[in-house]
Amino acid sequence: MPRSQRSPLLLAGLLATAGVAHFAVPRQFDAVVPRSLPGSPRTWTYASGVAELALAAGLALPRTRKPAALAAAAFFAGVFPANVKMAVDWRDRPAPQKALAIGRLPLQIPLVLWARGVAKNAEGRA
């Protein structure tokens, strides 16, 4: 399978795995929900898990791939505040945990670019 056909499926797999994790171990996700958001952190954890699963499904289907990829790019940008909160909250943790939290921040850039690339590639296939 060519890379251009694998890429959306790999991105779908990443999102599906993350979505399932939101339900399997919600407590770790609750902890990074910014407190400025209304409602309970658990509601946001489950909502983002559902969003990730829906994005994964959209990416897996060629017919919905482009809009799902654009939505995934927006989603990756939208969760950046949670990653910032995690980095701030973990600033006093042991070095490996602190490095993990800080390392997540620049990771959002390639995720956004990956999703945009999937959307662009899907244009020619629609």
Side-chain angles (χ1 to χ4, degrees), residues 15 17-35 37-53 75 79 82 85:
L15 283 160
T17 300
V20 168
H22 279 71
F23 293 94
V25 286
R27 190 175 306 155
Q28 74 181 31
F29 296 97
D30 294 347
V32 299
V33 173
R35 298 295 174 235
L37 292 174
S40 75
R42 183 61 52 94
T43 300
W44 287 101
T45 293
Y46 287 156
S48 61
V50 167
E52 286 170 330
L53 292 170
F75 179 82
V79 299
K85 181 182 184 312

Side-chain angles (χ1 to χ4, degrees), residues 90-101:
W90 287 24
R91 67 184 175 274
D92 296 325
R93 292 214 180 172
Q97 290 178 335
K98 189 181 343 183
L100 174 70

